């Protein structure tokens, strides 16, 4: 127990404070979760690869462990990312030796949604129903849907309609949870336009879409004006907003566009200078100031992990010529102590 006030309690009047958690080490974080968080997201344990590695063979052991812990802590769960182009078994896209038909894929999504909702509905308050279905760079000459949607197996086999199918199934089996579309680089104006098209189309198709999940992974310096504009644009679609995967790389502190990183940027990244690591906390303060100012539309801010001892960013190569290095992207340090910025975030919430 630390002697600072609770982050989650201090932010009750603004939004929930969430963290992504993993089955393998959630026990080491229960004290921090109890004290500072009031939402959790299973990092990988609700994806197809974890819950249905083979068609019809459900494996819920790791997921159950997270839900048991959340229940014991009195915390509800943001369920994350079943329909996604990653971490899904190849069986989804095949029918024997042939490619699966859209109808077969929709039946599979429906059966999966039913199984997960029957098991976890009581403890889930929101779902990321579909994750990252929008394309990052539009290929030259592409037009129509090919200029909006990621060229995933789902898209190749079904066109964009798999997204509506996933929302319809989740609505049927989880009528009381909020349904979200979730994506990254969501403040990039071009990609934002494509995300807006996706959401408008879903609504035109009569799907219930309650919210948009802004991932907010920062490898580069945040553009705070573009963040505000994005919040306004997404909220303008009548959506609730969750910040779903917030974390801040050392590279985000360099103060200039690091893509592609220069040789100097890479040396600075490798050096992990204490002043750069400390500057991550300033970015958190600025981001939270903006999130607070939009608390009429933002209901939850989740960091992608709890403390710096375990973060996906450590293993991630952000660019071909940038190495993976130890990162310090979260609000608690490698020893699970709250960083100095937490007291400042709490003071700012008064
Ligand atoms: C994406 C996904 C998350 C997670 C992160 C990196 O943002 O939405 O589930 O896999 O990548 O770990």
């Amino acid at each position: 127990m630390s002697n600072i006030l609770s982050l989650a309690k201090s932010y009750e009047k603004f939004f929930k404070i969430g963290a992504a958690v993993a089955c393998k080490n959630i026990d080491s974080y229960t004290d921090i979760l109890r004290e500072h968080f009031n939402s959790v997201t299973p990092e990988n344990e609700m994806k197809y690869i974890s819950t249905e590695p083979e068609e019809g063979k459900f494996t819920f052991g790791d997921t159950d462990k997270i839900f048991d812990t959340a229940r014991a802590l009195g915390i509800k769960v943001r369920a994350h990312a079943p329909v996604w182009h990653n971490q899904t078994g190849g069986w989804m896209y095949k029918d024997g030796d042939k490619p699966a038909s859209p109808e077969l894929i929709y039946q599979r999504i429906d059966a999966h949604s039913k199984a997960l909702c029957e098991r976890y509905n009581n403890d889930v308050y929101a779902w990321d129903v579909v994750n990252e279905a929008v394309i990052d760079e539009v290929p030259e000459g592409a037009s129509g849907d090919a200029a909006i949607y990621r060229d995933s197996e789902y898209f190749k086999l079904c066109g964009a309609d798999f997204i509506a199918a996933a929302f319809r199934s989740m609505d049927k089996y989880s009528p009381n949870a909020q349904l979200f579309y979730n994506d990254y680089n969501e403040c990039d104006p071009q990609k934002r336009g494509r995300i807006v098209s996706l959401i408008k189309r879903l609504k035109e198709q009569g799907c219930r879409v309650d919210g948009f999940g802004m991932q907010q992974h920062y490898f580069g310096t945040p553009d705070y004006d573009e963040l505000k504009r994005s919040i306004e644009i997404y909220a303008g679609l009548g959506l609730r907003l969750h910040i779903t995967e917030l974390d801040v790389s050392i590279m985000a502190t360099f103060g200039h566009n690091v893509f592609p990183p220069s040789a100097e940027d890479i040396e600075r990244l490798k050096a992990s200078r204490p002043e750069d690591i400390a500057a991550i906390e300033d970015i958190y303060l600025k981001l939270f100031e903006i999130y607070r100012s939009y608390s009429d539309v933002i209901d939850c801010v989740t960091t992608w992990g709890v403390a710096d001892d375990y973060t996906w960013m450590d293993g991630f190569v952000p660019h071909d010529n940038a190495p993976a290095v130890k990162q310090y992207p979260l609000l608690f340090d490698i020893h699970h102590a709250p960083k100095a910025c937490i007291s400042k975030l709490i003071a700012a919430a008064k």
Side-chain angles (χ1 to χ4, degrees), residues 43-44 47 80 84 87 131-132 182 215 217 245 304 312:
E43 183 185 18
N44 291 306
K47 296 173 180 168
H80 173 67
W84 187 30
Q87 293 182 256
N131 197 27
E132 303 177 355
N182 191 52
Q215 290 192 5
H217 289 294
E245 306 188 19
W304 202 245
W312 76 291

Side-chain angles (χ1 to χ4, degrees), residues 67 116-125 127 173-175 177:
F67 274 78
L116 266 84
C117 292
E118 281 176 358
R119 198 172 183 92
Y120 298 116
N121 258 357
N122 285 343
D123 299 291
V124 168
Y125 73 96
W127 275 98
Y173 300 117
S174 198

Side-chain angles (χ1 to χ4, degrees), residues 73-89:
L73 294 170
I75 296 177
K76 294 285 181 201
V77 174
R78 271 200 101 254
H80 173 67
V83 175
W84 187 30
H85 62 279
N86 270 328
Q87 293 182 256
T88 301

Side-chain angles (χ1 to χ4, degrees), residues 224 275 277-287 341 344:
Y224 298 106
E275 57 271 43
I277 293 169
I280 290 172
E281 298 189 49
D282 299 332
I283 294 181
Y284 267 103
L285 295 178
K286 285 194 201 137
L287 289 172
C341 67
K344 294 181 192 161

